[in-house]
Amino acid sequence: MSKVKTFSGSCHCGAVQFEIDTDLPELTTCDCSICTRKNALMVKVHETSMRVLSGMESLTTYQFHTNTAQHYFCSICGIYPFHRKRVTPDYFGVNVFCLDNFDPTGIPVRATVGVGMK
């Protein structure tokens, strides 16, 4: 079992700062219409393992289809740092490319099917 670590992250301009705690069991991609367009590579974390440290007022939310998932974007630089998941709304999908000094090399990547979700 991997050790849980704390990772810091931010949007591009730094207005949104956050931390997550994860043991990085896997990373995921998704083939839904928004994830393919934003080329998302994500780690799933429970809402209790994520903290927005600053910039909540800079986040804007985009919802579509069932309007369940909440996709957050920085209203200043436009970067997607994370989203609240549709099927498991007590979890966030965090954009690993927003994590400071993060190297995804060697972490298994699982492709999830989003395009066929009803």
Side-chain angles (χ1 to χ4, degrees):
M1 178 182 258
S2 298
K3 183 181 174 193
V4 173
K5 296 179 185 174
T6 299
F7 293 90
S8 297
S10 67
C11 61
H12 187 258
C13 70
V16 178
Q17 303 276 328
F18 63 94
E19 288 180 339
I20 62 168
D21 302 317
T22 180
D23 61 355
L24 294 165
E26 67 180 5
L27 303 177
T28 58
T29 60
C30 176
D31 66 356
C32 78
S33 60
I34 192 169
C35 286
T36 55
R37 284 171 175 79
K38 65 186 176 188
N39 195 29
L41 181 60
M42 301 161 282
V43 63
K44 182 179 176 181
V45 298
H46 191 267
E47 63 189 3
T48 59
S49 296
M50 186 176 142
R51 296 162 300 284
V52 177
L53 304 175
S54 64
M56 197 66 188
E57 70 282 354
S58 295
L59 287 171
T60 188
T61 307
Y62 175 68
Q63 293 180 282
F64 67 103
H65 193 245
T66 65
N67 293 314
T68 306
Q70 297 172 317
H71 302 269
Y72 293 93
F73 296 86
C74 175
S75 63
I76 300 166
C77 67
I79 294 298
Y80 147 74
F82 47 81
H83 73 281
R84 188 173 286 276
K85 299 181 81 52
R86 175 180 161 194
V87 176
T88 51
D90 54 337
Y91 281 84
F92 284 91
V94 177
N95 177 358
V96 299
F97 296 121
C98 287
L99 300 177
D100 299 337
N101 305 309
F102 182 78
D103 181 3
T105 304
I107 302 170
V109 176
R110 180 174 56 90
T112 61
V113 177
V115 74
M117 289 178 69
K118 301 225 183 263

